[in-house]
Amino acid sequence: MSSRSTLPAWTALQSLAAQQREIHLNDLFSADPSRFSTFSAELPGVLFDYSKQRVDANVMQSLLELAEQCDVAAWRDKMFSGEHINITEDRAVLHVALRDRAKRCILVDGVDVSGEVSRELARMEAFVNAVRSGDWKGYSGEMITDVVSIGIGGSHLGPQMVTEALAAYADETLNVHYVSNVDGTQIATTLNGLDPATTLFVISSKTFTTSETMTNARTALAWLTAAAAEAGISDSKSAAGKHFVAVSSNVAAAGEMGIEQDNIFSMWDWVGGRFSLWSAIGLPVALYLGFEKFVELLEGAHEVDEHFASADFASNIPVLMALLSVWNTTFMGFPAQAILPYDQAMHRLPAYLQQAEMESNGKFVVRDGGSVDYATVPLIWGEVGINGQHAFYQFLHQSPAIIPADFIGSVRSSIEVDGHHDVLMSNYFAQSKALMTGVSAAEIRADLTAKGLSPERIDEIVPHKVHQGNRPTSSFLLSRVEPRTLGMMIALYEHKIFVQGVILDICSFDQWGVELGKVIAKKIEADIAADSMGEAELQQQYDVSTAGLMARYKTMRRS
Ligand code: F6P
């Protein structure tokens, strides 16, 4: 059992949560006109307002004490200094080294990794420049026009999210496509319309064993070599060499697939998949935007690393984000957290953060092998806010469940179109205000009376229109979504997840929960293929539901 709940700050927060449940945010604002300045923090380009969270000075003080009692500062320093804080896989956790623009010496097991990082970045730069300039030619001697990135999870969500977010900064040089699903429909529709002679594949997989990625990569390889053969190129290996690169920490496996050594970009076991965007996993982004913009992304993240490493916790944004998440989930008992970007560019951010946070901290086991006796990570979900307003915001405003939300908006749009941005941002401001203040029965009654409704009709309608409010939100206001500020936002959430894990006493860097299904799927794949496995045989291996479903699938597939 975790010992967290015996910490003095933990007990204090339990009492404070009982009190806060009885207090409305409206009263907190009435009592403290300086709430906005007290409960906000800022970095150049990113303002973080958490004054609409259900906290007061006492709660924040106890949360900061909790951070201290959980040794957050010591754990942070262990991470930055390359200690093996991924205890179950016995690895360092050093995504910060990938974007350390100060290029400090960072030792992993006594070896300075900063040189390796710089070397790999230099290789990426040379490759990106060669492809974008047209010096890199395909098998027919033509330049590359399309990049297809094949990968899944951490080898897909980050690059794809950034590609979409920064599309306004791309030029016409390359189109980038993403394939993650092993459903053949996705790769078939992506390849349809592409010219093999001008298409480059980036196979991204840290382990180079992930079945979805390997299956898609083999399909792509077959497509490419068939086209090259049709074009009269008999040496399929050399054709593939001009069209396939890999990013992996398993260089040997990438080589076995036939990818040339010079075309393999390394990553390291001290980079977790969901934190790997900053490594060569970001290659599709660099190809799309040019290497300089990729560096700006790294620089933004590095700025946040410096802030996280040095700022006092009372104004340390990722620490505050983590404390608020623990407060809402563990102490206030809110089960979920919505991510609501009011910026079309960030439309894949909720999906990205789902993996980042839930794969990291969606666990019940604490570091010493015991179990938690408290709620850990919330269910992360979301959608571009403006579309959500016309879909699930009804639930956010009036459901009995309270769902804290992060609102993320920008002062300038990626592409300014007359008359649009103020309309969008008016909704960003209005929604968090409405969630906080709500609207009372008396106000509705006054409004309906002024509109001339009969007293009977007013009595019928009033309860339906009441909004209790008191629904907590944080607001991020960016100067604009650009490589630097996007890098900052991603790093803020990464460090938030880290601090959250420390406080919850969780190892945030493994993901054993996704392994079980993978193992079972491998066995099922073989049993589906085996003619000898009829329903009776399947029932000996599986529960009757799974066996029944598999048997029906096999029969229908073969009919
Ligand atoms: O989904 C599980 C997972 O292991 C993630 O942690 C990882 O990002 C993803 O699979 C892809 O793994 P790989 O990069 O090794 O293909």
Side-chain angles (χ1 to χ4, degrees):
M1 188 75 82
S2 163
S3 56
R4 285 292 188 247
S5 45
T6 61
L7 293 172
W10 193 281
T11 325
L13 284 160
Q14 282 172 322
S15 312
L16 288 169
Q19 289 166 24
Q20 283 299 328
R21 277 190 207 102
E22 307 305 317
I23 298 174
H24 199 290
L25 270 165
N26 288 338
D27 298 326
L28 293 175
F29 272 86
S30 306
D32 179 7
S34 62
R35 233 182 121 75
F36 175 67
S37 56
T38 308
F39 297 119
S40 61
E42 191 162 8
L43 287 170
V46 180
L47 170 65
F48 174 55
D49 167 30
Y50 59 101
S51 58
K52 294 193 186 81
Q53 291 287 347
R54 287 171 62 174
V55 293
D56 60 14
N58 286 337
V59 172
M60 290 314 299
Q61 183 55 37
S62 292
L63 285 169
L64 291 164
E65 283 165 17
L66 181 64
E68 204 180 306
Q69 288 164 24
C70 294
D71 291 329
V72 169
W75 279 97
R76 175 198 60 193
D77 297 346
K78 285 184 200 184
M79 176 172 79
F80 276 90
S81 60
E83 279 193 41
H84 284 209
I85 60 167
N86 176 351
I87 49 172
T88 69
E89 296 177 315
D90 193 17
R91 290 174 183 165
V93 174
L94 269 179
H95 42 282
V96 292
L98 299 169
R99 59 215 189 193
D100 183 359
R101 307 308 297 158
K103 301 190 175 119
R104 280 171 288 229
C105 158
I106 299 181
L107 297 178
V108 178
D109 304 327
V111 177
D112 178 12
V113 297
S114 62
E116 294 176 47
V117 170
S118 299
R119 264 194 303 282
E120 216 50 27
L121 279 171
R123 287 188 65 215
M124 275 174 78
E125 181 175 13
F127 178 71
V128 164
N129 290 342
V131 174
R132 287 178 56 82
S133 66
D135 285 351
W136 182 283
K137 307 268 191 275
Y139 61 70
S140 66
E142 291 169 82
M143 64 184 282
I144 300 297
T145 58
D146 290 84
V147 174
V148 178
S149 169
I150 295 180
I152 197 164
S155 299
H156 159 248
L157 287 162
Q160 190 203 32
M161 184 267 285
V162 172
T163 297
E164 300 270 325
L166 300 179
Y169 299 87
D171 55 21
E172 306 284 302
T173 311
L174 290 169
N175 304 309
V176 178
H177 316 261
Y178 286 88
V179 174
S180 59
N181 198 335
V182 73
D183 182 339
T185 310
Q186 194 183 26
I187 191 153
T189 45
T190 304
L191 297 183
N192 189 14
L194 293 184
D195 179 354
T198 59
T199 300
L200 175 80
F201 292 91
V202 179
I203 314 298
S204 297
S205 174
K206 181 179 169 185
T207 56
F208 231 76
T209 56
T210 305
S211 121
E212 297 90 330
T213 301
M214 296 304 104
T215 307
N216 280 322
R218 281 190 291 268
T219 298
L221 198 54
W223 179 78
L224 190 284
T225 48
E230 217 168 281
I233 292 156
S234 53
D235 182 355
S236 62
K237 197 167 173 337
S238 99
K242 298 184 166 80
H243 294 267
F244 277 80
V245 298
V247 182
S248 185
S249 61
N250 188 352
V251 174
E256 277 159 32
M257 187 177 268
I259 297 179
E260 288 180 11
Q261 290 298 310
D262 285 351
N263 293 359
I264 302 173
F265 294 89
S266 316
M267 54 193 290
W268 303 270
D269 72 356
W270 43 263
V271 181
R274 51 192 173 275
F275 302 94
S276 63
L277 166 67
W278 324 99
S279 69
I281 289 289
L283 188 61
V285 174
L287 284 163
Y288 184 49
L289 301 176
F291 195 72
E292 299 74 23
K293 300 264 183 336
F294 182 69
V295 169
E296 287 171 28
L297 186 82
L298 302 185
E299 284 168 350
H302 178 60
E303 270 180 60
V304 167
D305 295 342
E306 301 273 80
H307 165 75
F308 177 49
S310 61
D312 187 76
F313 281 2
S315 56
N316 194 312
I317 298 178
V319 173
L320 294 170
M321 290 164 72
L323 293 174
L324 292 166
S325 176
V326 173
W327 168 248
N328 282 332
T329 312
T330 310
F331 293 99
M332 295 295 277
F334 305 142
Q337 147 109 59
I339 304 292
L340 306 171
Y342 275 74
D343 195 312
Q344 185 60 29
M346 297 244 206
H347 77 110
R348 290 293 291 164
L349 186 68
Y352 173 78
L353 291 178
Q354 273 178 338
Q355 187 205 19
E357 185 155 331
M358 293 203 281
E359 198 167 275
S360 298
N361 290 335
K363 296 165 189 169
F364 71 86
V365 181
V366 293
R367 277 180 293 222
D368 71 2
S371 306
V372 295
D373 55 356
Y374 43 82
T376 55
V377 72
L379 167 73
I380 302 288
W381 61 287
E383 162 66 284
V384 165
I386 206 84
N387 292 340
Q389 286 178 207
H390 300 274
F392 54 79
Y393 272 39
Q394 165 61 43
F395 180 97
L396 293 186
H397 283 286
Q398 283 191 310
S399 149
I402 292 186
I403 312 295
D406 281 0
F407 280 70
I408 302 158
S410 312
V411 175
R412 298 197 187 287
S413 179
S414 299
I415 302 176
E416 289 280 345
V417 179
D418 268 356
H420 283 244
H421 201 62
D422 286 349
V423 176
L424 173 70
M425 290 303 284
S426 302
N427 282 276
Y428 161 94
F429 296 119
Q431 290 295 334
S432 60
K433 177 184 167 35
L435 286 163
M436 173 181 90
T437 54
V439 55
S440 69
E443 289 169 292
I444 296 161
R445 192 168 285 282
D447 179 53
L448 296 179
T449 305
K451 284 183 175 138
L453 269 72
S454 71
E456 297 74 31
R457 188 70 185 135
I458 290 174
D459 284 346
E460 277 168 17
I461 292 176
V462 164
H464 296 276
K465 297 190 81 169
V466 169
H467 289 56
Q468 296 153 326
N470 209 18
R471 291 164 190 255
T473 61
S474 293
S475 299
F476 292 88
L477 189 58
L478 276 62
S479 48
R480 153 185 252 145
V481 176
E482 56 196 357
R484 186 184 140 270
T485 51
L486 183 65
M488 292 174 79
M489 283 304 288
I490 302 169
L492 285 173
Y493 275 105
E494 282 181 346
H495 293 319
K496 169 217 170 176
I497 289 163
F498 168 74
V499 174
Q500 197 183 16
V502 172
I503 292 174
L504 297 170
D505 198 12
I506 281 171
C507 174
S508 304
F509 302 103
D510 57 21
Q511 56 283 320
W512 301 107
V514 297
E515 299 306 324
L516 176 63
K518 285 188 196 172
V519 173
I520 300 173
K522 263 267 154 286
K523 173 167 165 45
I524 289 181
E525 202 181 313
D527 289 343
I528 281 177
D531 287 335
S532 57
M533 294 296 282
E535 187 159 4
E537 290 76 22
L538 289 170
Q539 279 181 7
Q540 285 165 20
Q541 302 281 327
Y542 302 92
D543 60 89
V544 288
S545 165
T546 309
L549 287 165
M550 286 169 65
R552 177 67 64 90
Y553 173 81
K554 288 180 76 160
T555 314
M556 291 177 75
R557 273 297 275 183
R558 282 158 200 189
S559 65

